[in-house]
Amino acid sequence: MRHDPISRLFRHRYPYAILLSFLCMAVPLFFYYIYCCISDAAIVVSPAVVALSALCFVCYTLVFLYILDHAARKSARQEILIAEHEKKLAEAEVEKMRANLLRAVSHDLRTPLTGIIGNCYAYLENGSFLQQSEKDELVKNISEDSTWLLHMVENLLTVTRIRGSNLSISTTEESVEEIIGEALQKLQSRHPGFEIHVSVPEEFLWIPMDAILIEQVMINLLENAYFHSGTHLPVDLIVTNSPDHVSFTVRDYGTGIPDAQLEHLFDGAGYTNNVPDAQKGMGIGLTICKTIIAAHNGTLIGRNHDKGAEFIFTLPKKKAGTYERKDSDTAHRG
């Protein structure tokens, strides 16, 4: 709430100016009293002394009011400049994310669309010359590319839940285990046989989040490991509880991420390790994950470990009570 200068002056600076003026008046009077006591001199209090003291007190008060008000105004200007700078940085980051998302869309939509068109053309033009097994293979490829497109559309629709230029979202207290369970259930139907080992803390965690968005992040990162790790070894999903945040680690045991691509994981291009089943990049998925986590005021990083790659994202939490659960480690096999 803004106040006019006079109101702001007297509401915030006046008591401090009075106190400082009182101290400035009290210190010399104290030493004068000590001097009189030591020298046995009489303490003289005349009307002139009283008037001079009052005048000095008023002058001190005005001076201190000016100094305090000037300092407050300077501090307010600095705060405004800092806020404007932070706003510009936030807007630049949002624009960067939008550009990355657009680049990811153009990059990742092209591959499955080209595949669908090519397979349809081959089926229509050469259907009478193809064996049944070849026709089945073309239809299978069309189905896989269509499913991939559907998943990308689901990803894009999740972004519509993030509103405005400041990446604002509506969050509620959600159970971490329930969100993980929903994500695993969807992955089970999409990729039968995909083995995921889940490790969670003993305490029952509730943190503020948009449940649909965070579920999509988990699905994207786990599918990323499934398609691009170069192996179908089990993937670990590890939840770690810290005083001010909860971290989620998706760790695979594959070929890892090429060093040249580590700095560009979230800029829309995605990455592919040139393995047989990695024909499509993860540009949209990783870019959307970064946008979602940023909207939650969290962090997301991707890196290699000794036996593969891992993605770690964090979500801030409120300091609230936790609830005990019995089993601390579960495994899910799709």
Side-chain angles (χ1 to χ4, degrees), residues 90-327:
E91 290 175 350
E93 184 66 22
V94 170
E95 289 302 319
K96 180 181 177 181
M97 289 181 179
R98 287 175 177 170
N100 290 340
L101 182 58
L102 181 60
R103 184 162 55 249
V105 170
S106 62
H107 179 273
D108 277 11
L109 285 180
R110 187 181 300 114
T111 300
L113 284 174
T114 302
I116 291 173
I117 294 172
N119 287 321
C120 290
Y121 180 82
Y123 192 96
L124 293 174
E125 292 293 323
N126 305 305
S128 58
F129 306 104
L130 297 175
Q131 300 293 329
Q132 185 61 41
S133 59
E134 294 174 324
K135 294 180 180 180
D136 293 342
E137 183 66 21
L138 290 174
V139 173
K140 178 183 177 183
N141 291 337
I142 293 173
S143 175
E144 290 178 352
D145 286 334
S146 300
T147 302
W148 184 269
L149 279 175
L150 176 62
H151 293 166
M152 282 197 294
V153 171
E154 291 176 352
N155 267 304
L156 294 173
L157 288 176
T158 60
V159 180
T160 62
R161 297 176 62 86
I162 303 176
R163 304 182 302 275
S165 60
N166 60 345
L167 299 179
S168 63
I169 56 173
S170 297
T171 63
T172 55
E173 294 283 331
E174 301 286 349
S175 166
V176 170
E177 290 187 336
E178 290 183 5
I179 302 303
I180 293 175
E182 292 291 332
L184 295 181
Q185 186 176 2
K186 290 184 178 180
L187 286 169
Q188 179 182 16
S189 62
R190 293 184 186 181
H191 312 293
F194 181 20
E195 187 174 356
I196 304 170
H197 293 167
V198 181
S199 177
V200 297
E202 291 187 357
E203 59 266 33
F204 198 69
L205 298 177
W206 291 78
I207 54 177
M209 68 172 81
D210 184 307
I212 294 177
L213 293 179
I214 296 304
E215 179 184 316
Q216 191 64 50
V217 170
M218 292 184 184
I219 291 174
N220 286 355
L221 295 179
L222 289 167
E223 281 191 331
N224 187 48
Y226 180 76
F227 283 114
H228 302 283
S229 64
T231 178
H232 287 316
L233 292 174
V235 174
D236 292 337
L237 174 57
I238 304 168
V239 180
T240 305
N241 185 23
S242 298
D244 57 347
H245 69 271
V246 176
S247 64
F248 302 78
T249 302
V250 176
R251 179 180 298 158
D252 66 55
Y253 298 91
T255 57
I257 305 170
D259 293 337
Q261 298 180 15
L262 281 173
E263 296 182 359
H264 307 285
L265 289 174
F266 307 104
D267 63 4
Y271 77 90
T272 299
N273 284 337
N274 297 319
V275 294
D277 59 351
Q279 72 276 15
K280 308 177 184 69
M282 281 297 296
I284 290 180
L286 291 180
T287 303
I288 289 178
C289 288
K290 186 73 171 181
T291 303
I292 291 173
I293 298 303
H296 283 78
N297 296 318
T299 61
L300 171 62
I301 62 171
R303 65 189 182 188
N304 289 320
H305 61 92
D306 293 340
K307 299 180 180 179
E310 63 183 9
F311 286 84
I312 304 172
F313 70 90
T314 64
L315 296 176
K317 66 178 183 180
K318 296 178 180 178
K319 293 183 178 180
T322 56
Y323 301 88
E324 297 291 328
R325 64 183 294 278
K326 296 181 179 179
D327 47 312

